[in-house]
Amino acid sequence: ASIFNGHQADLPVAENGLKIRTRNTHHATRNRYMEIRYTPIPQQRSIWAYIIAAANALFFLGAFVVGQETALVLGAKINQAIVLGQWWRLLTAVFLHADLLHLGMNTYALIAFGPQVEQIYGRWRFLLSYLTAGLTGSAFSFLLNPYPSVGASGAIFGLIGMLGAYFYRYRHQLRSGRAALGNILFILAYNLFYGLANPRVDNWGHIGGLLAGLTLGWFLAPLYVVVQPDPFRPPQVMEVRSPRRWIAGLALVGGGILLVLIAGILRWG
């Protein structure tokens, strides 16, 4: 079983603002100077992070009703079953958990990081990235881990990777960008080390989800422009959407998943 040993980071996304420089005139000296302001960035309200957390709980409850062993046999990532054509296991494993502690740890991490990612990237980019990172984690586990595994931790590592990519991109522009990036790096280092030290943890699933999250986080990251339609009002930050860049990132991760799955079939088939 894959257990995410998560720690909540102090990443005040809602309080972040994009740093901009505006030119002002000091009335006493008539000298112009540069003023640094932090303008609020556009964000969306989080919904999917909580829906996924509820779905994980419902899957666990359903597994309790039909029998935990039966649910794991039907939906866990089992390499030989995948080779025989049961590809749905790559995704169903993301929503199954080995026990209540496993579910609780992953739910805690999902609620800690998921809403922040959803606020920044938007609902549909968040949902697509979560599922893709989870699928990538399962693919890496299929190739490199011979044992059955379940859990949302690969997808959650993907969310953390997306935050890392975002705060790295805007480490100089966000008020707390560099501090948040430092927190992300510490959390990743701690949990990857924990995974290496604990044989019960599917660290390859974590690494696969993290790589997908870093890639998607970079390509799907919002690009900001500062506009000031009214000179008498403060500037505003707006997002410039770039569907071609999003498609390129998804294609890159999708191609990687395909190559990993082919390698897994060749290894276990």
Side-chain angles (χ1 to χ4, degrees), residues 49-122:
Y50 301 102
I51 293 177
I52 293 172
N56 289 340
L58 289 175
F59 267 84
F60 186 80
L61 181 61
F64 180 80
V65 172
V66 303
Q68 186 73 354
E69 290 188 4
T70 300
L72 296 179
V73 168
L74 293 175
K77 187 232 70 173
I78 301 175
N79 291 350
Q80 293 303 323
I82 294 174
V83 170
L84 293 176
Q86 298 181 14
W87 297 101
W88 66 83
R89 295 176 178 272
L90 295 168
L91 190 58
T92 55
V94 178
F95 293 92
L96 295 174
H97 292 84
D99 51 42
L100 187 59
L101 176 62
H102 189 198
L103 173 67
M105 295 295 291
N106 278 342
T107 300
Y108 172 82
L110 176 58
I111 297 303
F113 299 106
Q116 300 177 63
V117 177
E118 191 171 357
Q119 288 172 17
I120 294 171
Y121 286 84

Side-chain angles (χ1 to χ4, degrees), residues 68-245:
Q68 186 73 354
E69 290 188 4
T70 300
L72 296 179
V73 168
L74 293 175
K77 187 232 70 173
I78 301 175
N79 291 350
Q80 293 303 323
I82 294 174
V83 170
L84 293 176
Q86 298 181 14
W87 297 101
W88 66 83
R89 295 176 178 272
L90 295 168
L91 190 58
T92 55
V94 178
F95 293 92
L96 295 174
H97 292 84
D99 51 42
L100 187 59
L101 176 62
H102 189 198
L103 173 67
M105 295 295 291
N106 278 342
T107 300
Y108 172 82
L110 176 58
I111 297 303
F113 299 106
Q116 300 177 63
V117 177
E118 191 171 357
Q119 288 172 17
I120 294 171
Y121 286 84
R123 294 168 185 166
W124 297 111
R125 274 177 284 179
F126 165 82
L127 179 61
L128 185 59
S129 298
Y130 181 88
L131 296 175
T132 303
L135 186 61
T136 308
S138 294
F140 268 69
S141 179
F142 169 58
L143 171 61
L144 299 167
N145 177 19
Y147 304 106
S149 66
V150 292
S153 51
I156 295 170
F157 262 86
L159 299 182
I160 300 175
M162 293 181 71
L163 285 175
Y166 175 82
F167 284 119
Y168 178 79
R169 178 186 286 273
Y170 293 109
R171 63 192 183 279
H172 299 304
Q173 288 81 19
L174 292 174
R175 186 191 300 271
S176 59
R178 281 178 286 187
L181 179 60
N183 284 339
I184 290 292
L185 293 177
F186 172 78
I187 292 167
L188 288 174
Y190 175 86
N191 283 282
L192 289 175
F193 177 79
Y194 177 85
L196 291 172
N198 191 334
R200 294 183 64 238
V201 174
D202 185 3
N203 222 31
W204 287 115
H206 294 176
I207 293 172
L210 174 61
L211 292 175
L214 289 170
T215 304
L216 294 174
W218 185 262
F219 281 90
L220 273 62
L223 299 180
Y224 301 124
V225 294
V226 179
V227 297
Q228 190 174 14
D230 187 345
F232 298 100
R233 293 187 177 183
Q236 297 178 342
V237 176
M238 298 181 62
E239 179 185 354
V240 178
R241 296 180 177 270
S242 179
R244 290 185 179 180
R245 186 167 53 89

